[in-house]
Amino acid sequence: MFSLCSKLEKQNINSLVDCTRDLCVSKGLVMRKRDGQSPTKTYMFVPCSLLPSPIPKDGFQLLTFLQPHINKLIHDVSQDDEFMSSAFKNVIKVDDFTKRLYDIYKASKASDKQRLDFGILRSDYMFECVVDKSGKEFFNPKQIEINTIASGGIKLGSGLSSVHSDVLQYAKMKELTAHLPKNESLSRIAHGFLTAWKDYGNPNAIILILYNENKPNIFDQRAVEYAIYDLDEHIIVRRKTCWELIASIALSPDGKLFVDDEEVAIVYFRFGFTADDYIDEKFWDVRLKVEMSRAILCPSIGYQLAGCKKMQEVLAKPDALERFIDDVDVVQKIRNTFAEFYELEMNSDGDNAVRMALTNPDLYVLKPQREGGGNNIYGEDIVTLLSEIGNDERRCAYILMEKICPKPFDNIFVTASGHQKVQAISELGTFGVILARGNDVIENYSADHLMRSKSHEHNDGGIGSGLAVMDSPFLV
Ligand code: ADP
Ligand code: MG
């Protein structure tokens, strides 16, 4: 695929790298440095690519078009008890984390609050390359996952587009900035908060950001807070850790949620998506209390479950999408973005899938029901794990997914340790916002994008783990 790297004059690179670092810091694209596992209170620019990376324009437009349909799909799945129970029935036998989420989901459903659901989703895709008989290449988006809780990169995505626009200008390629799609995810997502907060109906009620102090990307969350203030300076946004909530949270008899005696309109989760977050049993009590309240949850536990890896596999089965979407064209377009999934249930299909994975592990990714990077299993580790599990129900905790192999292209990564030329592959995420109460959809829109790239040699790739860098799409 077309790459901008070849257009750079060699002598420009060092000064462009310096310029990129300064642009990142000036535009607030910073994160906390890590000292071992813990983030410190010193800061560094967010590692990024020097140049934007190529993404096919038609694929990009398709994903933007599909995002509201995916928002609605997740909403409808989360409302469908029968579908959820069938999807998770075997997972919860062997995966305690998913079981605990599922138990709270059931308790919450039983209390029937008819509250507003507020989702900030991010669907992630890689573009697989298919070559036809004449040698022509086609790049098809394949969905990696749908994030339904704590979808990050809201500020970083839009910020990087702006950095790259300036870098192209410095590199005397200003005319190429026309290939950079606009990216207003931060303000579009803040708009969702404002609408949800107004819907709650108490001008004194606060927005609560529940966060994990051990995450380095604090400014991505702070940016959302500041963008909400920009829209309405009267809204109060508080940030709390789960430790702080244990002592300060209360539920009134009519289901109102209070923190330090302030009524809560919205709880925004930047916490709670991984089992490691629940380091104390009391954290589960907090989660249950919040879920049983009338506060608007971003997201509800139903959305979190609908974004589990298992749901990807279930939604890829024949007729699953048709259960939720009437428009056959939309169904087909979404299905085309699905990779192949091979179920690992305790039946002959599951046995076959295990055999295939043991024979050709490099063709697959084995995924547990976990979020946040670093949990997937690849290559010989698949063989080790599946051999150890043997013919045991524990395999139901995982999904087996076809491995997507995008075509690498040249770029330069700018990191704390300098800059390196890499053969990169990219992952494009499209944001979506939905506000719905039962069947009544109040807002549902696509909210621009985020892109990350990594060297094609790495399997997993999170910004936090240092393997991936922030990037932005250059439409070709
Ligand atoms: P997480 O919740 O940890 O982000 P993902 O499903 O997004 O889980 O996987 C993490 C990373 O692993 C992705 O960002 C991508 O780089 C890689 N990955 C996941 N699934 C696939 C796949 N099917 N093919 C190729 N790479 C994948
Ligand atoms: Mg991911």
Side-chain angles (χ1 to χ4, degrees):
M1 213 191 305
F2 169 85
S3 159
L4 286 174
C5 244
S6 56
K7 291 185 177 288
L8 280 185
E9 297 160 33
K10 211 171 187 172
Q11 63 273 25
N12 271 345
I13 290 179
N14 281 333
S15 67
L16 278 182
V17 166
D18 275 346
C19 161
T20 303
R21 287 201 194 100
D22 292 348
L23 281 167
C24 282
V25 175
S26 317
K27 291 175 192 275
L29 304 183
V30 287
M31 59 189 229
R32 282 188 177 159
K33 274 189 177 169
R34 273 190 186 279
D35 179 9
Q37 277 303 302
S38 314
T40 61
K41 294 223 167 156
T42 49
Y43 307 100
M44 60 171 283
F45 68 96
V46 171
C48 63
S49 64
L50 182 66
L51 296 163
S53 295
I55 289 287
K57 189 174 180 179
D58 51 355
F60 180 87
Q61 287 169 340
L62 171 74
L63 300 180
T64 306
F65 162 77
L66 287 181
Q67 190 56 45
H69 296 285
I70 289 170
N71 297 341
K72 182 67 171 34
L73 173 66
I74 290 293
H75 176 75
D76 290 346
V77 166
S78 79
Q79 310 287 303
D80 189 334
D81 285 0
E82 192 187 304
F83 193 78
M84 293 275 268
S85 121
S86 151
F88 289 111
K89 68 176 185 302
N90 290 327
V91 176
I92 61 179
K93 288 182 196 158
V94 287
D95 183 346
D96 187 52
F97 176 62
T98 311
K99 179 171 184 341
R100 297 200 79 159
L101 295 176
Y102 187 76
D103 287 346
I104 296 179
Y105 164 77
K106 290 302 274 184
S108 162
K109 280 276 160 194
S111 70
D112 190 27
K113 288 167 290 293
Q114 277 296 300
R115 72 172 161 221
L116 187 70
D117 275 308
F118 176 19
I120 300 172
L121 280 62
R122 202 190 71 223
S123 314
D124 291 337
Y125 304 86
M126 285 179 169
F127 286 72
E128 73 170 4
C129 177
V130 181
V131 185
D132 74 5
K133 283 190 192 124
S134 67
K136 189 168 181 323
E137 292 180 331
F138 295 88
F139 296 93
N140 303 322
K142 290 286 169 187
Q143 188 176 70
I144 296 296
E145 65 159 344
I146 305 176
N147 299 280
T148 56
I149 179 167
S151 310
I154 296 170
K155 150 105 183 177
L156 297 180
S158 42
L160 234 284
S161 298
S162 160
V163 167
H164 279 158
S165 175
D166 290 353
V167 170
L168 287 179
Q169 186 161 356
Y170 282 114
K172 301 196 189 74
M173 296 192 270
K174 184 170 167 41
E175 71 288 355
L176 294 180
T177 57
H179 291 258
L180 305 181
K182 71 167 180 45
N183 194 345
E184 294 166 357
S185 35
L186 184 56
S187 57
R188 292 173 69 70
I189 285 168
H191 170 80
F193 276 96
L194 183 64
T195 314
W197 180 79
K198 283 184 178 160
D199 185 276
Y200 187 79
N202 174 358
N204 296 316
I206 65 166
I207 296 176
L208 175 72
I209 302 180
L210 183 52
Y211 76 106
N212 182 339
E213 58 200 333
N214 289 321
K215 296 284 180 229
N217 64 345
I218 175 173
F219 296 105
D220 197 58
Q221 306 165 18
R222 282 285 193 193
V224 176
E225 178 185 342
Y226 306 149
I228 295 170
Y229 288 139
D230 283 347
L231 291 181
D232 188 332
E233 61 187 3
H234 299 103
I235 303 177
I236 295 171
V237 183
R238 307 254 187 243
R239 291 166 55 82
K240 297 274 180 198
T241 64
C242 211
W243 282 121
E244 290 171 311
L245 285 194
I246 290 170
S248 59
I249 197 169
L251 209 52
S252 72
D254 60 349
K256 288 181 184 149
L257 186 70
F258 289 87
V259 169
D260 292 331
D261 298 327
E262 287 181 306
E263 186 173 345
V264 179
I266 304 173
V267 183
Y268 175 38
F269 284 87
R270 296 295 298 242
F271 163 91
F273 49 93
T274 137
D276 302 341
D277 279 348
Y278 297 82
I279 49 177
D280 192 287
E281 189 57 29
K282 291 198 186 78
F283 286 18
W284 284 108
D285 300 339
V286 169
R287 187 78 200 259
L288 177 64
K289 210 175 247 181
V290 166
E291 203 68 34
M292 298 307 283
S293 79
R294 287 176 40 204
I296 297 167
L297 307 183
C298 180
S300 68
I301 212 155
Y303 275 42
Q304 180 172 356
L305 283 166
C308 276
K309 310 285 192 269
K310 181 68 187 179
M311 197 53 86
Q312 277 188 281
E313 177 208 290
V314 171
L315 285 172
K317 285 183 195 282
D319 299 330
L321 287 177
E322 284 83 350
R323 181 177 174 109
F324 301 102
I325 304 173
D326 295 331
D327 186 329
V328 287
D329 181 51
V330 170
V331 166
Q332 198 48 51
K333 286 188 163 104
I334 294 180
R335 186 164 287 135
N336 287 344
T337 69
F338 288 168
E340 295 293 334
F341 291 90
Y342 308 91
E343 69 166 51
L344 292 169
E345 306 273 324
M346 304 310 291
N347 54 29
S348 58
D349 285 348
D351 295 343
N352 280 337
V354 170
R355 261 195 298 277
M356 279 164 35
L358 291 176
T359 314
N360 283 309
D362 290 334
L363 300 183
Y364 308 100
V365 183
L366 189 65
K367 298 189 181 186
Q369 309 305 310
R370 296 290 181 273
E371 299 293 323
N375 299 301
N376 295 342
I377 299 140
Y378 301 88
E380 281 309 308
D381 292 339
I382 296 183
V383 177
T384 309
L385 186 91
L386 288 180
S387 308
E388 191 266 317
I389 287 179
N391 197 20
D392 178 315
E393 282 195 325
R394 279 182 295 154
R395 78 185 192 200
C396 301
Y398 297 85
I399 66 165
L400 186 67
M401 182 178 184
E402 167 198 6
K403 187 171 177 188
I404 308 302
C405 298
K407 184 173 175 183
F409 54 87
D410 291 336
N411 207 330
I412 293 167
F413 286 178
V414 182
T415 63
S417 56
H419 66 274
Q420 309 86 38
K421 199 162 182 183
V422 273
Q423 286 274 291
I425 54 177
S426 300
E427 188 171 346
L428 176 72
T430 47
F431 282 110
V433 171
I434 182 161
L435 292 157
R437 186 179 280 104
N439 291 328
D440 187 14
V441 177
I442 291 150
E443 293 264 21
N444 183 12
Y445 53 89
S446 182
D448 295 336
H449 54 273
L450 148 100
M451 204 160 103
R452 292 162 296 170
S453 294
K454 62 181 180 182
S455 160
H456 76 290
E457 291 156 0
H458 295 307
N459 283 320
D460 236 295
I463 303 290
S465 65
L467 292 178
V469 300
M470 288 301 303
D471 200 342
S472 79
F474 182 90
L475 300 185
V476 290

